[in-house]
């Protein structure tokens, strides 16, 4: 497969040299730098990662090889939030085969598979917080977790209908009927593999960060192409959208303390000890003050989508479990996301209150049936971390896509250049689509994935 990942850092004064990721101080396993897949463009990026003899080569458009539909491009701007870039990305080909697992199966993830049952393609964006360590580990680990999970179910995935018993042994003659009544399809096995891979990766990150004395977490947005379908798995506040000539379709939802308020409040209701008597789980329109005591004010609890009134008690004056509005909302006054990987050691400042019990590593998975779409050349999926969406709406991104691609059909690097243009549109230029010169001060990563050639495939591999 040919795939590209374009990486630059743009700041006043010109590009900065790529910083080195920190090395763990005492890791029980060899530390590997994230594998950057370079795309087209004139800017400097990280050197091509060393390849094993059995690894598939990754070639960029600059070397003259035509890109297939699954070529993705990304560009990263480091906003200097930290010394190292907290955004990481990965893309490549997944080779899924029938196998038994063991220590010897820990191979290079792009290795040529001799007995593959399926091949798919993978793109992932990781937005780190509290340092880059978790994002780097996720970029190095999640694809391997996903491959293992898919290999465990691949025979069910390629079957006309997933069997009750993977071995083919039928204990009950009505087993196929039970599977049919449950509506279990091959895509449900892929969704389950993605969910399990996120969970496995989260456990790996927890162990690695504890062993190396590091901290941090990251959001994760993953797209997987398999058997004519695109699976988008999101845990955090990154976003993916489908842009077509006459359609904008969200492929993910953001998970923040506000969007998951009821789940978080329910957990605090069932396990009040998690708040250690320092927080109130109830939501009020604002932080209550002493003068509110005895007054009836608006509130809502875990069981409520609507609002009601309650008489303010002293316990209601504690700091809210979820405080702030929109992008400023924080969980326990600390974290702006409610799903992601890592954060096993994260605690509320100056307390021993852990945030991990409130965080989910399980992604929401959306399935796009690409084979059912009448695709045009300009149909793309745009994946980006929250730095892009802080400034540009779905409609503004779609406007840029539709204005750029039709006039650049002969440019072999147009998707890479579109990714660059999307990011440059967040850098405060008055002629941008917002017309207001808005600036994103966050790290930004973008994948632009063209879909057109996918609709021309006749096989499922």
């Amino acid at each position: 497969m040919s795939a590209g990942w374009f990486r630059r850092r743009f700041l006043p004064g010109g590009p900065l040299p790529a910083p080195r990721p920190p090395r763990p101080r005492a890791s029980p396993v060899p530390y590997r730098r994230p594998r950057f897949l370079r795309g087209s463009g004139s800017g400097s990026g990280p050197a091509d990662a060393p390849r094993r003899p059995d690894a598939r080569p990754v070639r960029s458009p600059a070397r003259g090889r035509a890109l297939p539909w699954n070529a993705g491009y990304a560009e990263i701007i480091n906003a200097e939030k930290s010394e190292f870039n907290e955004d990481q990305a990965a893309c490549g080909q997944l080779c899924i085969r029938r196998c038994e697992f063991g220590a010897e199966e820990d191979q290079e993830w792009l290795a040529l598979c001799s007995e593959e049952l399926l091949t798919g393609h993978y793109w992932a964006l990781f937005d780190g917080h509290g340092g880059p360590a978790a994002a780097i580990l996720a970029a190095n680990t999640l694809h391997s977790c996903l491959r293992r999970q898919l290999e465990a179910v691949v025979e069910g995935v390629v079957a006309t209908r997933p069997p009750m018993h993977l071995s083919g042994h039928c204990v009950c003659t009505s087993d196929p009927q039970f599977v049919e009544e449950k509506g279990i399809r091959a895509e449900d096995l892929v969704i389950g593999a993605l969910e399990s891979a996120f969970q496995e990766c989260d456990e790996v990150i927890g162990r690695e960060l504890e062993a190396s004395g590091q901290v941090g977490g990251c959001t994760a947005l993953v797209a997987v192409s398999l058997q004519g379908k695109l699976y988008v798995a999101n845990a955090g506040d990154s976003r993916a959208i489908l842009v077509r000539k006459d359609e904008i379709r969200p492929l993910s939802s953001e998970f923040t303390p506000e969007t998951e308020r009821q789940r978080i409040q329910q957990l605090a209701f069932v396990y009040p000890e998690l708040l250690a008597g320092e927080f109130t789980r109830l939501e009020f329109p604002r932080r209550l003050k002493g003068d509110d005591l005895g007054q009836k004010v608006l509130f809502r609890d875990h069981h409520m989508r609507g609002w009601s009134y309650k008489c303010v008690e002293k316990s209601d004056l504690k700091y809210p479990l979820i405080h702030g509005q929109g992008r400023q909302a924080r969980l326990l006054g600390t974290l702006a996301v409610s799903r992601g990987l890592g954060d096993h050691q994260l605690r509320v400042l100056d307390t021993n209150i852990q945030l991990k019990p409130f965080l989910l590593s399980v992604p929401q998975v959306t399935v796009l049936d690409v084979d059912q779409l009448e695709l045009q050349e300009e149909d793309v999926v745009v994946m980006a971390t929250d730095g892009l969406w802080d400034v540009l709406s779905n409609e503004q991104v779609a406007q840029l896509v539709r204005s750029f691609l039709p006039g650049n059909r002969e440019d072999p690097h147009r998707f890479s250049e579109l990714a660059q243009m999307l990011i440059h549109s967040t850098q405060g230029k008055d002629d941008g689509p917002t017309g207001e010169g808005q600036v994103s001060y966050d790290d930004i990563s973008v994948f632009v994935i063209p879909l057109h050639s996918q609709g021309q495939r006749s096989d499922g591999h």
Side-chain angles (χ1 to χ4, degrees):
M1 175 196 125
S2 297
W5 182 44
F6 192 75
R7 177 188 175 111
R8 276 188 193 166
R9 293 171 178 80
F10 290 90
L11 292 170
L16 294 178
R20 293 174 299 173
R23 292 183 179 273
R25 292 189 290 273
S27 177
V29 299
Y31 176 76
R32 293 181 295 176
R33 294 188 61 172
R35 188 168 302 283
F36 298 120
L37 306 182
R38 183 183 295 181
S40 63
S42 59
S44 61
D48 288 341
R51 301 188 181 96
R52 290 169 38 148
D54 59 350
R56 295 184 185 224
V58 178
R59 298 187 177 92
S60 70
R63 297 184 179 125
R65 181 173 177 179
L67 285 172
W69 79 272
N70 53 324
Y73 303 89
E75 179 175 342
I76 285 184
I77 292 180
N78 187 351
E80 287 195 307
K81 291 194 308 178
S82 61
E83 180 183 358
F84 301 106
N85 193 11
E86 292 182 332
D87 272 14
Q88 299 291 329
C91 65
Q93 186 170 25
L94 288 171
C95 298
I96 314 303
R97 53 183 174 171
R98 182 193 298 111
C99 64
E100 298 295 333
F101 301 120
E104 69 277 7
E105 293 297 330
D106 184 18
Q107 300 177 12
E108 168 62 47
W109 73 300
L110 290 177
L112 186 63
C113 303
S114 58
E115 297 181 357
E116 62 191 44
L117 295 181
L118 282 177
T119 58
H121 298 91
Y122 167 96
W123 304 262
L125 294 175
F126 305 98
D127 186 355
H129 49 260
I136 291 174
L137 281 168
N140 278 327
T141 304
L142 182 55
H143 53 75
S144 296
C145 298
L146 177 58
R147 186 200 62 187
R148 283 192 295 271
Q149 295 295 336
L150 285 171
E151 286 177 343
V153 300
V154 65
E155 291 176 317
V157 172
V158 299
T160 304
R161 181 176 292 276
M164 179 75 173
H165 292 273
L166 199 57
S167 64
H169 180 66
C170 187
V171 175
C172 178
T173 56
S174 56
D175 279 351
Q177 180 181 346
F178 290 131
V179 173
E180 184 175 359
E181 288 177 351
K182 286 288 186 180
I184 302 172
R185 299 162 296 176
E187 69 180 50
D188 296 309
L189 294 177
V190 179
I191 292 172
L194 279 161
E195 293 167 336
S196 298
F198 272 62
Q199 180 68 28
E200 180 186 346
C201 183
D202 182 60
E203 295 170 358
V204 171
I205 290 173
R207 293 194 299 267
E208 291 296 302
L209 292 185
E210 182 179 10
S212 61
Q214 298 183 89
V215 296
C218 67
T219 65
L221 176 63
V222 171
V224 174
S225 169
L226 200 65
Q227 292 187 303
K229 295 182 179 180
L230 188 72
Y231 298 82
V232 179
N234 186 43
D237 57 359
S238 296
R239 187 186 306 174
I241 64 172
L242 168 68
V243 179
R244 306 182 69 197
K245 182 178 180 180
D246 300 312
E247 179 186 11
I248 305 171
R249 187 186 306 184
L251 298 178
S252 64
S253 300
E254 283 97 278
F255 293 98
T256 68
E258 274 195 318
T259 62
E260 294 206 281
R261 172 189 62 84
Q262 287 184 273
R263 177 187 69 79
I264 294 170
Q265 286 182 317
Q266 171 74 15
L267 189 63
F269 170 74
V270 177
Y271 302 102
E273 64 273 13
L274 294 175
L275 302 182
E278 297 288 338
F279 293 83
T280 174
R281 74 170 187 273
L282 302 180
E283 180 185 10
F284 303 96
R286 62 164 170 80
R287 175 84 185 275
L288 298 183
K289 303 177 182 180
D291 292 342
D292 292 312
L293 280 171
Q295 302 295 318
K296 283 194 171 182
V297 301
L298 286 165
F299 88 105
R300 57 182 176 178
D301 203 350
H302 64 91
H303 60 281
M304 303 166 63
R305 294 191 64 183
W307 293 80
S308 187
Y309 287 92
K310 79 178 297 286
C311 187
V312 177
E313 305 171 13
K314 188 175 180 179
S315 61
D316 297 326
L317 302 183
K318 296 176 182 177
Y319 200 87
L321 172 61
I322 299 171
H323 182 59
Q325 303 293 327
R327 292 288 184 178
Q328 303 305 315
R330 294 293 184 270
L331 172 61
L332 295 171
T334 304
L335 202 57
V337 293
S338 55
R339 297 198 189 193
L341 307 174
D343 289 316
H344 297 76
Q345 310 301 323
L346 183 60
R347 287 172 169 76
V348 177
L349 185 64
D350 296 329
T351 75
N352 200 37
I353 299 175
Q354 294 183 325
L355 277 82
K356 188 61 176 177
F358 295 97
L359 307 177
L360 284 181
S361 60
V362 180
Q364 179 190 66
V365 182
T366 302
V367 183
L368 177 66
D369 194 340
V370 180
D371 281 348
Q372 297 301 313
L373 300 177
E374 295 182 4
L375 294 171
Q376 305 297 319
E377 289 187 29
E378 283 75 38
D379 292 347
V380 297
V381 169
V382 178
M383 298 170 56
T385 52
D386 65 314
L388 182 78
W389 310 109
D390 286 346
V391 174
L392 301 180
S393 66
N394 292 356
E395 291 72 22
Q396 289 166 336
V397 168
Q399 177 186 340
L400 284 169
V401 171
R402 292 165 179 163
S403 63
F404 179 83
L405 290 180
N408 293 274
R409 290 180 178 174
E410 304 304 318
D411 186 349
H413 312 315
R414 58 184 179 144
F415 299 108
S416 178
E417 292 166 359
L418 173 58
Q420 297 177 47
M421 187 179 71
L422 289 173
I423 293 184
H424 292 166
S425 297
T426 69
Q427 301 306 295
K429 295 183 179 181
D430 293 335
D431 57 352
T434 64
E436 301 172 357
Q438 296 188 56
V439 180
S440 176
Y441 296 100
D442 200 357
D443 297 340
I444 302 176
S445 307
V446 176
F447 272 121
V448 176
I449 306 173
L451 297 177
H452 177 251
S453 297
Q454 164 71 352
Q456 302 173 357
R457 300 190 316 167
S458 58
D459 59 62
H461 296 72

